[in-house]
Amino acid sequence: MLRAIALVSSIAMMPVTASADTFGTISASIDGDTRTWFVTEQSGESQSSWARIMPGSLTGSNFTLWGNPDKTQLAATKGALILGAVLMPGAGGFTAIPDVQYLENGFSAYWASVEDDPAEMNLAEVEEQGESLRVSGDFSARLYFRSGAGQTPDRSRMITVSGTFKAAIPAE
């Protein structure tokens, strides 16, 4: 959640661009409405990233996929779908501790997963390739409405989201 609040500040200073490059996609259904979001960058700048915590190991690394509703956008706040995860060792590879957010109207009206009703993520691919992390898999979550960054979720308002993702995320 703190990561989301920090992103709001950086987004306010970043222009929306018509020449973003796509390095990944998220295809998902939100309460039955299926669509695709685009993970983009321009001139080395992106809202998506991965960070290694321990030298020489992906354990504890985290990644964020900022899905823009249009492939020309770099940092959309309206309609963005954000997948984040911390990588931990698991049976046969890595497991993810995920976080999912849908910015219906920026951080003034958005939907987010919560710790006591956690999102699920299955990783099909986790591989470091040069300066990028290749990840793919599927996810599902129940997201609860929030009106304002850091606000308590409204448990009476919930949507479901499920889908797949694939990206080669550049290092921070």
Side-chain angles (χ1 to χ4, degrees):
M1 180 53 70
L2 293 176
R3 183 176 14 179
I5 294 169
L7 286 174
V8 171
S9 299
S10 64
I11 291 168
M13 295 184 279
M14 295 185 76
V16 174
T17 180
S19 61
D21 296 318
T22 300
F23 61 86
T25 58
I26 303 168
S27 296
S29 173
I30 297 179
D31 274 352
D33 180 21
T34 302
R35 55 189 128 156
T36 299
W37 289 262
F38 303 90
V39 183
T40 61
E41 72 174 335
Q42 179 191 20
S43 303
E45 296 292 326
S46 178
Q47 292 302 312
S48 300
S49 64
W50 76 280
R52 180 189 311 274
I53 303 303
M54 298 185 319
S57 173
L58 290 177
T59 298
S61 295
N62 61 69
F63 69 85
T64 300
L65 298 178
W66 187 286
N68 295 289
D70 186 284
K71 64 176 134 185
T72 63
Q73 297 174 308
L74 179 62
T77 55
K78 187 171 184 172
L81 181 62
I82 304 166
L83 304 180
V86 174
L87 300 175
M88 300 304 289
F94 285 97
T95 187
I97 302 170
D99 179 49
V100 179
Q101 297 177 51
Y102 172 59
L103 307 184
E104 183 175 41
N105 192 19
F107 286 102
S108 63
Y110 70 106
W111 305 82
S113 56
V114 294
E115 286 184 28
D116 63 343
D117 189 3
E120 295 180 11
M121 184 179 286
N122 299 303
L123 299 169
E125 176 184 27
V126 177
E127 179 184 358
E128 189 173 358
Q129 190 172 39
E131 293 295 313
S132 296
L133 178 70
R134 294 183 59 80
V135 293
S136 66
D138 61 74
F139 68 97
S140 63
R142 286 175 292 280
L143 306 180
Y144 296 90
F145 185 78
R146 293 178 187 246
S147 59
Q151 297 299 312
T152 303
D154 180 347
R155 298 298 182 130
S156 70
R157 297 179 66 187
M158 189 256 313
I159 60 175
T160 59
V161 59
S162 62
T164 61
F165 60 93
K166 184 174 187 173
I169 313 160
E172 286 189 332

